[in-house]
Amino acid sequence: MTPGTVVVTGGAGFLGSHLCERMLTRGARVICMDNFLTGTPANVEHLFGDPCFRLVDCDLTGFVHVPGNVDMVLHFASAASPVDYLRHPIETLKVGSLGTLHALGLAKDKGARFVLASTSEVYGDPLEHPQRETYWGNVNPVGPRSVYDEAKRFAEALTTAYRHSHGVDTGIVRIFNTYGPRMRVSDGRAIPTFVGQALRGEPITVTGDGAQTRSVCYVDDTIAGVLALAESGLAGPVNIGGPDEMTMLGLAGLIRDLAGSSSPIRLIEPAADDPRIRRPDTTLAEQKLGWRPKVPVEEGLRRTIAWFAAEPAAEPVA
Ligand code: NAD
Ligand code: UDP
């Protein structure tokens, strides 16, 4: 299938920049829309010479206009790291609500397929493990993470309403913790933080008792899953995430070893409302999309460490 013209919102961010790249190699014309709140034009600078690529400085919370035909809207705009969304709470709520409304409006206007980047955070601190798409979640609506969780839950509801009321061809992908090149070393998420600390020989800061778990997925695998959903007619939601559930203490130790570092591991204050466990049930993605992750966690972490080691030091964006 030829992807035609694809709008990637949040295209100058971590996942968005990989999506733009992958869509171009598939022969698409890519319009990348971003306001650079947590992303940077540097993430897509290498695509500027491609005549099929266009970067538009645009805030999705305002009116969005794209001239001409659009075949697909991949809606990825939103701060995603807890440090970022806690620094930008209102912006996060606005892009999840108003931004999603405008991206859906664009898809409706153009008759385009729309894909929402949702998140495992809609499951909150889950009482079902692993999490299946049928689980409704355990979210604190007034807790610190609610600015992100509830924005995404609203975005899922709005996407579903546009499908049922306006007949928009929509898909929802619930992405679990993804890592890889082009994360900001200073974005506060566990993997870039641990890698930066290990490479600098500083203490690796693990929150709480470090027994909380996450299941991590290398970016190439996540992007393959997103594209499989985008090119299917599936409405979802569909979980896309890695099978390797690890404690944060285990992850810190693994990163330290792979980086050849002798950093000590330091336990710090627990993060508020931090989910204790997290692992996707990916049966649906396997059965309906033929998707499963391919990159083993040690290999993905090695590639990520090598990328950070070759990059200049941290670059605060916002
Ligand atoms: P990121 O912060 O690197 O990228 C988000 C991008 O959205 C940035 O470039 C930012 O500038 C842009 N943006 C934010 N508000 C905007 C607005 N109002 N208008 C235009 N652009 C705006 O984060 P990421 O990790 O690449 O995440 C991308 C998407 O994937 C997010 O929607 C996130 O919720 C979702 N997601 C990511 C993960 C993960 O592990 N990386 C997991 C689950 C879901
Ligand atoms: N975490 C940590 N040290 C850090 C940053 C994060 O131990 O310097 C923990 C965090 O409290 C959580 C886990 O690592 O338990 C994953 O955090 P991340 O921000 O990567 O993802 P999320 O919490 O959004 O799943």
Side-chain angles (χ1 to χ4, degrees):
M1 169 184 152
T2 316
T5 299
V6 180
V7 167
V8 181
T9 77
F14 164 50
L15 292 182
S17 64
H18 286 275
L19 266 180
C20 289
E21 216 173 77
R22 198 70 69 87
M23 274 298 182
L24 286 170
T25 60
R26 283 162 116 90
R29 213 167 68 82
V30 173
I31 302 169
C32 166
M33 306 183 96
D34 207 295
N35 69 347
F36 313 121
L37 182 71
T38 57
T40 161
N43 281 337
V44 287
E45 213 170 13
H46 60 295
L47 306 176
F48 288 172
D50 189 325
C52 291
F53 180 75
R54 193 149 66 87
L55 174 61
V56 181
D57 181 350
C58 159
D59 185 339
L60 262 289
T61 64
F63 181 75
V64 177
H65 174 70
V66 176
N69 188 46
V70 174
D71 299 288
M72 195 180 275
V73 177
L74 302 175
H75 181 43
F76 276 63
S78 170
S81 141
V83 167
D84 284 340
Y85 62 69
L86 293 175
R87 192 183 295 149
H88 302 290
I90 308 293
E91 290 89 338
T92 303
L93 282 157
K94 282 175 78 178
V95 73
S97 52
L98 297 175
T100 303
L101 179 71
H102 296 147
L104 276 163
L106 175 69
K108 173 172 166 259
D109 192 40
K110 303 288 184 181
R113 175 150 168 86
F114 174 91
V115 175
L116 172 70
S118 187
T119 167
S120 57
E121 287 288 323
V122 300
Y123 300 124
D125 192 8
L127 304 177
E128 176 180 302
H129 194 67
Q131 294 78 55
R132 279 176 302 178
E133 290 86 350
T134 47
Y135 178 50
W136 290 0
N138 178 36
V139 170
N140 175 0
V142 292
R145 297 173 84 100
S146 64
V147 297
Y148 183 62
D149 302 354
E150 297 292 16
K152 289 290 182 181
R153 288 168 69 97
F154 175 84
E156 287 201 11
L158 192 63
T159 301
T160 306
Y162 262 67
R163 182 177 184 86
H164 293 145
S165 298
H166 289 319
V168 176
D169 175 14
T170 60
I172 297 173
V173 56
R174 289 186 181 149
I175 301 169
F176 284 63
N177 298 66
T178 298
Y179 67 97
R182 296 202 205 113
M183 294 184 96
R184 293 182 356 257
V185 73
S186 57
D187 88 357
R189 289 185 266 200
I191 290 181
T193 305
F194 294 171
V195 171
Q197 291 166 332
L199 289 174
R200 293 189 300 268
E202 293 169 2
I204 299 181
T205 52
V206 174
T207 58
D209 61 6
Q212 68 275 25
T213 68
R214 294 294 186 274
S215 304
V216 300
C217 193
Y218 188 65
V219 60
D220 290 0
D221 281 330
T222 295
I223 297 296
V226 169
L227 293 186
L229 174 78
E231 288 169 1
S232 75
L234 230 56
V238 178
N239 288 338
I240 292 291
D244 301 305
E245 184 177 2
M246 281 183 283
T247 65
M248 289 306 103
L249 262 183
L251 178 64
L254 178 59
I255 288 176
R256 177 178 60 182
D257 293 347
L258 292 172
S261 164
S262 53
S263 287
I265 291 174
R266 180 179 295 163
L267 295 181
I268 58 169
E269 275 294 292
D273 286 359
D274 199 6
R276 292 298 298 166
I277 46 175
R278 188 62 68 69
R279 175 155 57 94
D281 181 323
T282 51
T283 309
L284 196 60
E286 284 164 32
Q287 289 178 349
K288 300 281 184 191
L289 303 174
W291 177 87
R292 62 178 72 222
K294 295 191 180 125
V295 182
V297 66
E298 296 203 355
E299 172 58 24
L301 287 174
R302 264 197 203 94
R303 289 187 207 170
T304 306
I305 292 166
W307 185 83
F308 276 110
E311 273 300 292
E315 42 18 282
V317 171

